[in-house]
Amino acid sequence: MLSKKCKYAIHALVHMGKRPTEQFVVKDISEACNIPRKFLESILLELKRAGMLGSKQGKGGGYFLRRTPPEINLADVVRLFDGAIAAVPCASFKFYESCDECEDEDVCAVRDAFLQLRNATVEMLKADTLESLLKKEAILRTKKKR
Amino acid sequence: MLSKKCKYAIHALVHMGKRPTEQFVVKDISEACNIPRKFLESILLELKRAGMLGSKQGKGGGYFLRRTPPEINLADVVRLFDGAIAAVPCASFKFYESCDECEDEDVCAVRDAFLQLRNATVEMLKADTLESLLKKEAILRTKKKR
DNA sequence: TTTATTGTCTATAAACTAAATAGACTTTAT
DNA sequence: ATAAAGTCTATTTAGTTTATAGACAATAAA
């Protein structure tokens, strides 16, 4: 399961992706996405530190996307907030740690299975960009109307 | 990430799958897989309650597989110990819960993305049976020797 | 230059969960 | 009777997640 923080981050980003050149104040996003305001503040700050968002302080300020919608993908967001995508530390690339349960990692079928799952997952999450998500939402909307 | 409990359970099952008709005492599995003994006890008990293992009490007792290696798959084990396979409650079938961040679930692209990920994950984990894992391990072993 | 607005930062509370351990009890073969 | 094994309940410990409070800094506009 993703943390709420990560899920909130994704929804906030998707919301901003709808008008990718505009600036948003925390309150707007908080209300649009039903995310506790103070909690959202820290999330946006983290996204800013990671280079996905920019901000402008003071009156008339707010947050805005630093990258275009095709450049922001869920794999990056998930890694930022929840760390490893792999289900098991020994199957992670960016957050690798050896396990104690098998004698020889190179020959551990459990690890192999979770490596494959990790690879498939990363591919899918990388393909989920703000752009592709918003396109999909449009498709779902028209499908529902018919 | 899987809980350690779940990872331990998987390794214990794979270990038992190597001699699928034999009985194992907790200590043997604990030492073979480097799993804290008392912790493993509660895990095996849970696997028993779920019908995957049987047990015999008293001297000469132990745990044994209740199903054949092709009948035990990782999807079931993960669900038993960690609950939902989906990354987000609104994308889970067996542990569904609605989220608050979108107005209309039917049209939420975030949910859609995680539904697809869930489906792919479940398929992969279902294909990972004790049998297939042990076969894979044999293959990895011969590959390494060459 | 004051004021209102908005982001930044630090600290901390509250709730929950994971991981592990302890110990008493029960069952069974010998 | 005894030793070996699983069963069950409780509890500890530590860590994480989720959320909030409040002081501070920056900026635009009146």
Side-chain angles (χ1 to χ4, degrees):
Chain A
M1 277 278 173
L2 295 185
S3 65
K4 284 203 179 187
K5 205 167 184 179
C6 185
K7 191 175 55 152
Y8 288 161
I10 292 168
H11 280 284
L13 285 168
V14 169
H15 179 72
M16 294 174 80
K18 285 171 187 167
R19 300 190 305 275
T21 60
E22 269 181 41
Q23 242 182 211
F24 298 80
V25 301
V26 178
K27 203 185 166 211
D28 289 349
I29 304 173
S30 159
E31 284 171 4
C33 301
N34 281 302
I35 301 170
R37 190 159 149 271
K38 271 292 184 181
F39 199 14
L40 181 59
E41 273 182 13
S42 67
I43 291 167
L44 296 177
L45 220 41
E46 215 163 329
L47 287 168
K48 188 198 166 187
R49 293 201 186 101
M52 296 191 208
L53 297 184
S55 67
K56 204 187 146 190
Q57 272 185 317
K59 196 170 178 179
Y63 285 96
F64 52 89
L65 294 180
R66 259 264 157 79
R67 306 189 200 150
T68 62
E71 288 170 340
I72 296 181
N73 67 70
L74 296 194
D76 291 340
V77 181
V78 170
R79 282 209 194 90
L80 178 63
F81 289 97
D82 290 1
I85 284 171
V88 137
C90 66
S92 176
F93 284 9
K94 314 226 176 203
F95 299 85
Y96 170 85
E97 273 179 77
S98 72
C99 296
D100 290 330
E101 297 86 50
C102 68
E103 279 174 24
D104 182 356
E105 223 173 50
D106 297 338
V107 148
C108 176
V110 175
R111 176 170 180 250
D112 183 81
F114 284 114
L115 266 175
Q116 292 199 33
L117 178 59
R118 186 214 91 103
N119 291 339
T121 303
V122 169
E123 266 191 49
M124 289 187 75
L125 291 179
K126 270 193 186 165
D128 291 325
T129 65
L130 290 194
E131 184 183 52
S132 77
L133 290 173
L134 289 164
K135 271 187 191 162
K136 182 71 183 210
E137 191 157 321
I139 291 168
L140 289 172
R141 231 179 265 282
T142 59
K143 267 191 189 161
K144 199 179 180 184
K145 273 184 190 162
R146 268 186 287 143
Chain B
M1 279 279 173
L2 295 185
S3 65
K4 285 205 178 184
K5 205 168 182 178
C6 186
K7 191 175 56 151
Y8 288 162
I10 291 168
H11 280 284
L13 286 169
V14 169
H15 179 73
M16 294 175 80
K18 285 172 187 166
R19 300 190 303 276
T21 59
E22 268 181 44
Q23 243 182 209
F24 298 81
V25 301
V26 177
K27 202 186 166 210
D28 289 348
I29 304 173
S30 160
E31 283 171 5
C33 301
N34 281 301
I35 301 169
R37 188 158 151 270
K38 271 293 187 180
F39 199 14
L40 180 58
E41 274 181 14
S42 68
I43 292 166
L44 296 177
L45 218 42
E46 215 163 328
L47 287 167
K48 188 198 164 185
R49 291 201 186 102
M52 296 191 208
L53 297 183
S55 67
K56 203 188 146 190
Q57 270 186 315
K59 197 170 180 180
Y63 284 96
F64 52 89
L65 295 180
R66 257 265 157 76
R67 306 189 200 150
T68 63
E71 288 170 339
I72 296 180
N73 68 70
L74 295 193
D76 290 340
V77 181
V78 170
R79 283 209 194 91
L80 178 61
F81 289 97
D82 290 1
I85 284 171
V88 136
C90 66
S92 175
F93 283 11
K94 312 227 176 201
F95 299 84
Y96 171 84
E97 272 178 76
S98 74
C99 297
D100 290 330
E101 296 87 48
C102 69
E103 278 174 22
D104 182 355
E105 221 172 54
D106 298 339
V107 149
C108 175
V110 176
R111 175 170 181 251
D112 183 81
F114 284 113
L115 266 175
Q116 291 198 36
L117 178 58
R118 186 214 89 103
N119 290 339
T121 303
V122 168
E123 264 190 51
M124 290 188 75
L125 291 179
K126 270 193 185 167
D128 291 325
T129 64
L130 291 195
E131 185 183 51
S132 76
L133 291 173
L134 289 165
K135 271 187 191 162
K136 184 71 183 209
E137 192 158 318
I139 292 168
L140 289 172
R141 230 178 265 282
T142 59
K143 269 191 189 162
K144 200 181 180 184
K145 275 186 190 162
R146 269 187 288 143

